Amino acid sequence: MSEQEAYGRMGGRMLLQDTKQSSGDYEDPAAWLKETDIVSHDFPYAASLIAESFKEWRGQAAPSFAQSWEWCVLNFEGKIIDPMYEFRQGRWDEKWEEAAQASLLTGGVHAAALQEDGQSFVLLAMPVFTRGHREIFAVLSCVMPAEQYAEGGRHTAEAMSMHFQTCFYHSFEHVFVSDLAGIHMHAEREASRRSLLFQIVQRMHDNIDVDAVLTEVIDSIAAMYPGAKLDLFMSQDHRSAHPQVKPLPLRWAGNDVCARAFKDGRVSLHSGHEAGSTVELGLPLGGKQGVYGVFHMVMDKSSYREVDLNFLSMVADTAGTAFENAKLYERSNQLIRELRMSNELTQRLNQSLRLGDIFQFAFEELLGMFEADYCCILHMSEEKGGLEVIACNHHQLLNEMIEAGQGLGGKVYVTGEPLFLSDYKYGAGEKSKLMEATGSQSLIATPLSVGGEVRGAIMLAHRSPHFFSYDSYRLLQAMAGHIGLAVGNARLHAEVRRLANRDSLTGLFARHYLDEEIKERQSKDFCGTLIVVDIDQFKMVNDTYGHQKGDKILKQVSEIVKSSIRQGDIAARWGGEELAVYLPQLGVQQAVYVGERIRKRVMGETEPRVTVSCGIAEWSWTDERVSVESLFYRADMALYEAKNNGRNQVVIDNKNLNGEIYSKNPWA
């Protein structure tokens, strides 16, 4: 058992004795101390204290003649206490132990005569008793000349023995008081730390803001250990403006204290071997769901003695729990915010069924929702043979075509996998026009799926590295789902509208669509021309070759009409074998050339060969308001005239050129 444990045992018995005697009222508040004592169970552990008391006793004033005597102290078994060898010459060891045994046996002073070199000496062994039960816990022994013994030396020695007892109990009381003071100081320190921990816990749990929790724990640790350098490395899920909160490094050395603490979830310590070197501590910031970060403390070795690892661990654990609670609260608010934003985005997307409007709405909403510097939406265009930049606030890239698989956006489209890039400079592995052109470092991207098929990609970029969190990455994927649904609805609406506006047999526009387009054009254009095309003697074709052949002829003529007009012109099936073509912002003279081109091609390219007659009518801004119905009526009248004049010809409305026949049937 160690000396400290021995003193603790003695202190415990003394305190018990004090408790038993505390029923009396002492005028002296320290009087109880004089009643403390040791018992036989403590004797085996008292050697060190006896030796210390002997040193103190030897250093105090004594009669001059007694200073020349040789002294020794023995334990309760009559054995010389080892630390006493420095105070004696060792020539009387056996005699001392024999005398001590005799003194212990009789319980009194034992004297023995000694002879050495013709001189006579007397060896005295004097028992040292406890205060209470008069038990012998030590034997004080001395050797003096016989003459001095005869002159009263024994009385002097016995008096000095009593003084030694006093010195022992003085040391004993000092140790006891020191032990009590230490216990009291330790209790006060623990109470202070418990109070401090309670205050820290209360302040942290009073805060439901993540940044406030981190600031509180950093300030608390810094206040407890002002000489230490403290940093908090956090995972990328949390960004903070606090200068001591930093992102977790992408790579750590294998023996790094922070790496070990983050991986194992336990306090990690590294101490330098050189004198005056520093000590590193890694304290995990974790909760029930995992480790979120690591506190990194660096301090001098001299300051490390004051560090209480258990206390720091409790602070870190408490901070982790408070952080997790604040994070959950923040997450719940974020979910509410995401639902609100999703609802707002869906409402805005549903305001229009035009594909261009939907992409523009999505572009504007995503920029504000994620606080991104740049947003780029790519959409696959089969007509143009690649991914088209349909929306982007870096205007140099707008409408640019990108091959599938090219760059980061093309990679997202081809793989169908989202992309999270914290630092483009170090982690891209592939070039990106958006990132290069804008100088951005952070990127989140997700495929744009429509009806289960990847139709494009959405990219959000920011100039700062580590800007986007995993929550942002996940939210973008959720928003892409809503955008894809809106795009799908718009495409479906466009397809339904296309089918509704098209003739199922010829693929030309339906008559009602042509009527609506002419009305709209008349409100914006300054002129326009309508050509009505009719297949000559189409009933005879049906009667001769059958209706299936007649449908084939009708399709052939329709394809000729479509390929004979401009991209902005509108070709429609007027009804039966009659077709109509509206030429926006073209006058009657140009329309005649178009009609003639159609007539010649039909005559030369159809199988079996058929001919067509064309009637043309024009309107211009100089005329009184011309209705669509009247324009059709005039063109139909011109067609009727072409039929009556022999077919296979182009006739202009009488209002234009007095019914002049522009082309007539060469076989007439």
Side-chain angles (χ1 to χ4, degrees):
M1 182 178 293
S2 66
E3 178 184 334
Q4 184 178 1
E5 291 171 334
Y7 291 166
R9 287 185 57 178
M10 290 188 284
R13 274 184 281 277
M14 289 187 288
L15 189 60
L16 179 61
Q17 184 174 348
D18 168 56
T19 303
K20 293 178 180 178
Q21 297 179 359
S22 63
S23 57
D25 295 329
Y26 294 101
E27 295 182 0
D28 183 1
W32 63 270
L33 193 58
K34 296 187 173 92
E35 302 295 331
T36 58
D37 203 353
I38 61 173
V39 295
S40 58
H41 295 291
D42 300 321
F43 293 172
Y45 314 108
S48 177
L49 184 58
I50 293 171
E52 290 178 6
S53 304
F54 184 77
K55 289 179 185 179
E56 180 186 355
W57 174 77
R58 287 284 291 170
Q60 294 180 2
S64 58
F65 62 88
Q67 292 179 2
S68 62
W69 299 347
E70 193 168 345
W71 294 88
C72 180
V73 66
L74 302 91
N75 65 11
F76 69 102
E77 294 177 333
K79 302 296 183 182
I80 298 173
I81 296 176
D82 287 344
M84 297 301 99
Y85 280 106
E86 60 179 295
F87 296 104
R88 71 188 197 285
Q89 299 175 7
R91 63 177 186 256
W92 310 111
D93 287 358
E94 292 183 7
K95 299 294 183 181
W96 269 334
E97 290 188 352
E98 290 176 1
Q101 292 292 340
S103 178
L104 288 169
L105 186 62
T106 61
V109 178
H110 177 76
L114 300 175
Q115 293 289 328
E116 186 180 67
D117 297 333
Q119 293 183 345
S120 298
F121 298 93
V122 176
L123 186 152
L124 286 179
M126 298 164 285
V128 183
F129 298 97
T130 61
R131 283 173 172 170
H133 299 289
R134 300 280 302 168
E135 295 177 288
I136 301 174
F137 67 88
V139 177
L140 186 65
S141 184
C142 72
V143 176
M144 67 181 72
E147 297 85 2
Q148 293 182 354
Y149 177 80
E151 294 174 357
R154 172 171 178 160
H155 301 296
T156 301
E158 290 179 350
M160 293 180 70
S161 172
M162 295 176 64
H163 180 59
F164 170 74
Q165 182 195 39
T166 303
C167 289
F168 171 80
Y169 276 103
H170 178 269
S171 299
F172 188 73
E173 292 166 0
H174 175 74
V175 169
F176 181 60
V177 171
S178 298
D179 187 52
L180 285 180
I183 294 173
H184 179 69
M185 290 176 62
H186 178 74
E188 282 191 341
R189 184 168 59 251
E190 288 302 312
S192 175
R193 291 194 171 183
R194 283 195 298 270
S195 175
L196 179 60
L197 180 61
F198 175 77
Q199 294 174 22
I200 294 172
V201 169
Q202 188 176 35
R203 288 197 297 268
M204 283 192 293
H205 284 284
D206 283 346
N207 289 311
I208 54 176
D209 178 73
V210 173
D211 287 327
V213 170
L214 297 182
T215 300
E216 176 62 38
V217 69
I218 289 173
D219 292 346
S220 298
I221 295 177
M224 287 187 290
Y225 305 103
K229 181 180 180 295
L230 178 65
D231 289 309
L232 174 57
F233 294 100
M234 292 294 296
S235 62
Q236 191 171 315
D237 288 341
H238 180 75
R239 299 192 308 270
S240 175
H242 197 289
Q244 290 171 270
V245 179
K246 303 172 182 178
L248 282 171
L250 295 177
R251 294 179 180 86
W252 258 325
N255 61 344
D256 193 287
V257 294
C258 293
R260 293 200 303 269
F262 187 78
K263 178 181 178 182
D264 301 336
R266 296 193 300 269
V267 177
S268 180
L269 171 67
H270 174 72
S271 177
H273 299 293
E274 302 81 5
S277 60
T278 58
V279 175
E280 285 186 88
L281 283 175
L283 299 168
L285 176 72
K288 293 181 180 179
Q289 299 183 7
V291 178
Y292 305 101
V294 179
F295 289 100
H296 183 219
M297 291 182 68
V298 181
M299 66 192 75
D300 295 332
K301 273 191 173 181
S302 58
S303 302
Y304 177 66
R305 298 190 189 96
E306 303 175 3
V307 173
D308 187 336
L309 290 182
N310 290 331
F311 180 73
L312 280 176
S313 297
M314 286 191 291
V315 172
D317 290 343
T318 302
T321 303
F323 175 84
E324 191 171 68
N325 291 338
K327 199 71 176 175
L328 289 172
Y329 179 78
E330 182 183 80
R331 179 70 184 131
S332 64
N333 286 339
Q334 186 175 3
L335 287 173
I336 295 172
R337 176 173 170 267
E338 289 176 7
L339 289 172
R340 179 180 55 78
M341 290 189 298
S342 174
N343 184 51
E344 291 176 356
L345 176 64
T346 303
Q347 285 182 350
R348 190 168 185 198
L349 292 175
N350 290 336
Q351 288 177 2
S352 174
L353 287 171
R354 294 179 179 272
L355 203 56
D357 292 344
I358 288 174
F359 283 129
Q360 185 62 30
F361 292 162
F363 163 76
E364 294 171 357
E365 290 292 326
L366 291 176
L367 268 179
M369 187 182 299
F370 292 89
E371 299 179 356
D373 287 335
Y374 298 97
C375 176
C376 181
I377 300 179
L378 308 177
H379 186 248
M380 173 54 70
S381 173
E382 284 80 4
E383 295 179 0
K384 299 179 181 179
L387 289 166
E388 182 180 6
V389 180
I390 201 76
C392 184
N393 56 332
H394 187 72
H395 301 294
Q396 289 85 338
L397 296 177
L398 194 60
N399 300 324
E400 185 170 335
M401 298 302 300
I402 299 173
E403 294 181 11
Q406 178 185 353
L408 296 179
K411 179 180 178 181
V412 170
Y413 171 78
V414 170
T415 62
E417 297 292 334
L419 180 65
F420 191 155
L421 195 60
S422 298
D423 198 330
Y424 172 74
K425 187 184 299 181
Y426 299 106
E430 194 163 347
K431 295 294 183 182
S432 167
K433 286 186 177 181
L434 175 66
M435 305 299 281
E436 297 284 346
T438 61
S440 298
Q441 297 300 321
S442 298
L443 173 74
I444 50 176
T446 186
L448 178 61
S449 297
V450 180
E453 178 187 3
V454 178
R455 298 293 304 170
I458 301 174
M459 306 171 69
L460 292 173
H462 198 279
R463 295 188 185 93
S464 303
H466 305 283
F467 178 79
F468 298 110
S469 66
Y470 178 77
D471 288 334
S472 300
Y473 172 68
R474 182 194 52 75
L475 178 60
L476 177 61
Q477 295 174 62
M479 294 298 105
H482 293 290
I483 297 170
L485 184 61
V487 171
N489 290 337
R491 288 168 59 90
L492 182 61
H493 176 77
E495 180 64 18
V496 171
R497 186 177 179 188
R498 186 189 71 80
L499 293 175
N501 292 331
R502 295 279 181 177
D503 176 65
S504 59
L505 178 63
T506 62
L508 300 178
F509 286 108
R511 178 174 176 174
H512 69 85
Y513 178 80
L514 182 63
D515 290 347
E516 294 171 0
E517 285 295 314
I518 294 175
K519 289 179 181 178
E520 185 176 349
R521 298 283 185 166
Q522 284 182 332
S523 64
K524 298 184 294 186
D525 298 344
F526 60 89
C527 71
T529 304
L530 177 67
I531 304 176
V532 177
V533 181
D534 184 78
I535 301 175
D536 295 329
Q537 297 178 331
F538 189 67
K539 184 177 184 303
M540 185 182 297
V541 173
N542 282 330
D543 293 341
T544 303
Y545 300 104
H547 286 282
Q548 288 186 346
K549 198 67 172 181
D551 289 345
K552 184 178 180 181
I553 291 295
L554 186 58
K555 289 180 182 179
Q556 290 180 16
V557 174
S558 299
E559 289 298 324
I560 291 172
V561 170
K562 284 194 290 186
S563 60
S564 299
I565 60 178
R566 302 171 301 173
Q567 184 175 359
D569 297 338
I570 304 169
R573 186 178 181 183
W574 177 253
E577 71 275 15
E578 287 185 332
L579 310 178
V581 179
Y582 181 71
L583 308 173
Q585 301 192 38
L586 277 189
V588 68
Q589 295 297 339
Q590 294 93 341
V592 168
Y593 290 114
V594 174
E596 183 64 14
R597 181 164 59 246
I598 292 172
R599 186 191 68 79
K600 289 181 178 180
R601 287 188 61 191
V602 168
M603 186 173 58
E605 298 177 16
T606 54
E607 177 60 37
R609 190 176 68 174
V610 295
T611 61
V612 294
S613 299
C614 302
I616 299 176
E618 177 194 39
W619 73 271
S620 71
W621 64 277
T622 58
D623 299 333
E624 294 183 3
R625 180 168 182 78
V626 179
S627 66
V628 175
E629 291 77 10
S630 64
L631 187 65
F632 271 108
Y633 176 77
R634 286 161 42 198
D636 198 40
M637 288 299 100
L639 174 65
Y640 181 76
E641 187 173 344
K643 293 282 189 181
N644 288 337
N645 290 337
R647 303 182 181 86
N648 191 22
Q649 55 188 254
V650 177
V651 175
I652 301 172
D653 172 33
N654 288 330
K655 181 179 182 300
N656 302 109
L657 296 174
N658 298 318
E660 177 183 351
I661 299 176
Y662 182 82
S663 176
K664 60 184 178 181
N665 189 337
W667 296 283

